Amino acid sequence: MTDDLPAGGVVIDSAELTARWARAWQPEQAALRLRGVEAPWCVAAGWALDLFRGARTRPHGDLEIAVPAALFPRIRERFPEYEFDAIGSGRVWTGTAAPAMAATHQTWLRDPGTGDYLLDVFREPHQGDTWICRRDPAIRAPYESVIERTADGIPYLAPEVVLLFKAKSARPKDRADFAGTLPLLGPERRARLSGWLEQVHPGHPWLTELQPG
């Protein structure tokens, strides 16, 4: 998508961006606002791994959720007092103008009164009830197999899916997330992640660690 970004958009200084995300929501807040919404949404990224592990293991600079792209309007209507900005290649387009939305997959929920960002929404490819991996559309799975729930009902992306996305950059926090989650992955999860990594990132160093002991 980002190959066709429209003109305009602004780059926000990193210090300002950190300040504007300082009051990002917790998963419980997002779940409360989205209770009963008819869309298979879920908490993604680092927070999803913490929900899987049952405890907060590190600070989180934001809260990311994933939703089927075609059902984003159902999510958006739950936040009538806020605005969404389209995000791509480090640039921000204020409001959900059609060209920027069509060319990006990331959307930030903004408090128009303070300018604070509260929630990061990924609009993901899908086909009906089937999730399609943004990194490789050949990887597909029913939503019911990639969305799990905490004991109190907060939906989160399965850890093997989260780690597939984290493998691309493998920043220090991503490597720490992998190391902390790996002992909790059973044979089926390890096999699924290994297969995906071989397909998307052949030769990735995590493949060795995923092998049976």
Side-chain angles (χ1 to χ4, degrees), residues 69-102:
L71 301 183
F72 174 70
R74 298 183 184 178
I75 303 297
R76 181 171 53 193
E77 68 186 13
R78 291 300 186 99
F79 306 100
E81 74 274 40
Y82 297 114
E83 296 180 4
F84 278 99
D85 294 342
I87 313 300
S89 294
R91 286 188 282 162
V92 179
W93 286 264
T94 301
T96 49
M101 288 289 286

Side-chain angles (χ1 to χ4, degrees), residues 110-150:
R110 174 172 46 84
D111 183 329
T114 65
D116 292 338
Y117 284 116
L118 308 171
L119 184 65
D120 187 351
V121 181
F122 288 94
R123 294 166 280 117
E124 300 291 342
H126 67 108
Q127 187 172 53
D129 294 330
T130 298
W131 166 77
I132 300 175
C133 179
R134 188 171 6 101
R135 299 277 165 78
D136 184 342
I139 298 175
R140 303 176 176 223
Y143 270 110
E144 62 184 14
S145 74
V146 296
I147 296 179
E148 304 182 15
R149 293 181 180 273
T150 63

Side-chain angles (χ1 to χ4, degrees), residues 41-53 66 131 141-150 154-166 181 184-185 188-190 192-193 196:
W41 74 276
C42 59
V43 174
W47 261 120
L49 296 180
D50 274 357
L51 293 177
F52 169 70
R53 295 165 71 177
W131 166 77
Y143 270 110
E144 62 184 14
S145 74
V146 296
I147 296 179
E148 304 182 15
R149 293 181 180 273
T150 63
I154 299 176
Y156 62 90
L157 196 60
E160 60 269 32
V161 181
V162 175
L163 292 172
L164 173 63
F165 282 100
K166 283 180 166 287
T181 306
L184 302 177
L185 301 181
E188 185 174 338
R189 292 188 192 275
R190 290 182 181 227
R192 183 151 70 157
L193 178 55
W196 288 341

Side-chain angles (χ1 to χ4, degrees), residues 21 24-25 45 47 59-64 106 108 118-120 173:
W21 275 108
W25 284 346
W47 261 120
H60 296 281
D62 58 7
L63 173 64
E64 297 155 308
Q106 193 171 4
W108 290 349
L118 308 171
L119 184 65
D120 187 351
K173 68 177 181 179

